[in-house]
Amino acid sequence: MSGTKGLLLSEDTSLAIIKSITDMQKDLIVIFKDNKIVLMNSALKKFFGVSSVEQYEEEFGPFVHNFVPHPSYFHSQKIQNKAPWYDAILELEELDRVVSMITPSYEPYAFSVEINKTQDYVIALFSDITQTLIKRIMIENNANIDAKSGAYAKAYFLQIAQSYQDVALLNKKIISAILIKTNLGDANLLKDFVANLKSIIRQDDMLIRWDEDSFLLIYLAETPQGAKVMMNKLNQICIREGIAEITYTLSQIIQKEGEEIKSFIERIDG
């Protein structure tokens, strides 16, 4: 009996140490044993607005039910042979191990998933990639880049435009675009111009070579008012920091409520 008691104390101590370590992490962490949750870290409890595993199970049920059923993400409908979700997601390529989960206040997030199995336990770690998901969807290889300028090719954007729209809808954002018309002619100036713009815009914004003398900066915003912040920023600093030989004009197109991406692009070209 004493030996058994010692083993139980050792296991409890180990779990306490693990809990302390996981609670220090910003990523969401959950540990399973026999497909049952045995530990959730503080970040995961905060995400779901619960104080314990018991409360989580009572309010949310099986963990796999949290995954939004969307084509761009892994979810329960993609599982075959009734396998545990963590075994099914491991069958995907690492870049495809992405899920979306929604907070109780209906805020959607995207996460990359890492799975680690040790003895009878499965450790799942969810890293927030909401801000970089668009880039993950958009960038596949250098063939998507306009060789003369270094911006994205228009044909590529048109190919993935619906995926861009899906991301916007899932994350409750609107699409905004700024059409930048220039007097470019010199090839070296063209690349300098694009490099200058890339140094100004955010990582997840998308700069596209729209036609011979114009570029399209497309990005997501919370509101039409928020979309105008980028327009004001470009007006203030776009060319001020260099490339004085280039003249340009800016015009903004903001997605209307309920507007499909096809109509939005038609307004840009119109």
Side-chain angles (χ1 to χ4, degrees):
M1 290 293 292
S2 60
T4 303
K5 184 177 180 181
L7 179 61
L8 289 173
L9 288 173
S10 176
E11 184 175 352
D12 289 344
T13 301
S14 297
L15 285 174
I17 293 172
I18 292 171
K19 183 179 185 304
S20 178
I21 293 172
T22 59
D23 282 345
M24 297 170 62
Q25 309 304 310
K26 293 182 179 180
D27 293 326
L28 313 187
I29 300 174
V30 58
I31 300 178
F32 300 87
K33 184 177 182 181
D34 298 328
N35 207 19
K36 300 290 185 180
I37 299 174
V38 296
L39 185 147
M40 303 171 73
N41 75 335
S42 294
L44 189 55
K45 291 176 185 176
K46 181 178 179 181
F47 183 87
F48 288 114
V50 298
S51 59
S52 65
V53 171
E54 291 75 20
Q55 183 185 358
Y56 166 82
E57 290 177 336
E58 181 178 341
E59 295 185 11
F60 293 92
F63 197 83
V64 70
H65 290 177
N66 294 309
F67 303 154
V68 175
H70 187 278
S72 296
Y73 304 98
F74 172 84
H75 54 84
S76 61
Q77 296 173 25
K78 294 186 177 182
I79 299 176
Q80 298 179 352
N81 303 321
K82 298 183 179 180
W85 72 266
Y86 41 75
D87 288 335
I89 201 170
L90 284 175
E91 296 178 2
L92 302 178
E93 296 292 332
E94 186 173 348
L95 285 175
D96 294 325
R97 296 172 191 170
V98 177
V99 301
S100 178
M101 297 191 290
I102 298 176
T103 68
S105 57
Y106 303 103
E107 296 177 272
Y109 286 79
F111 299 92
S112 64
V113 183
E114 294 182 40
I115 301 294
N116 190 354
K117 295 184 176 182
T118 174
Q119 296 182 354
D120 297 328
Y121 295 93
V122 176
I123 304 168
L125 184 147
F126 299 84
S127 299
D128 184 0
I129 58 166
T130 307
Q131 297 303 315
T132 57
L133 180 62
I134 295 173
K135 182 157 286 189
R136 183 260 177 187
I137 291 176
M138 303 305 172
I139 301 175
E140 295 177 24
N141 53 59
N142 288 333
N144 305 323
I145 302 298
D146 172 60
K148 291 183 179 180
S149 67
Y152 285 104
K154 181 178 181 179
Y156 175 63
F157 174 73
L158 295 178
Q159 177 185 344
I160 54 80
Q162 188 57 54
S163 294
Y164 199 98
Q165 170 74 82
D166 291 343
V167 171
L169 286 173
L170 187 65
N171 290 283
K172 298 183 179 179
K173 302 287 182 68
I174 60 171
I175 301 172
S176 181
I178 298 175
L179 188 63
I180 308 167
K181 294 187 177 181
T182 74
N183 66 338
L184 290 168
D186 183 277
N188 291 326
L189 281 180
L190 183 66
K191 290 195 172 182
D192 287 344
F193 179 77
V194 169
N196 190 46
L197 282 176
K198 284 184 175 181
S199 71
I200 295 169
I201 64 177
R202 300 166 301 187
Q203 183 181 11
D204 295 324
D205 299 337
M206 195 171 186
L207 183 63
I208 305 158
R209 181 81 182 277
W210 204 244
D211 58 34
E212 190 67 21
D213 296 316
S214 67
F215 292 84
L216 189 74
L217 174 60
I218 194 161
Y219 56 98
L220 299 185
E222 299 280 352
T223 63
Q225 292 73 25
K228 293 176 183 178
V229 172
M230 178 64 79
M231 181 70 164
N232 294 335
K233 181 179 180 180
L234 289 188
N235 271 325
Q236 292 171 12
I237 67 172
C238 184
I239 309 300
R240 186 181 65 196
E241 299 177 4
I243 321 180
E245 299 92 336
I246 297 173
T247 59
Y248 67 98
T249 59
L250 306 178
S251 56
Q252 187 165 38
I253 305 92
I254 299 176
Q255 189 178 32
K256 300 175 182 177
E257 184 175 356
E259 184 178 26
E260 294 295 328
I261 189 68
K262 180 180 179 181
S263 173
F264 181 72
I265 292 171
E266 288 174 352
R267 286 203 292 127
I268 295 172
D269 282 332

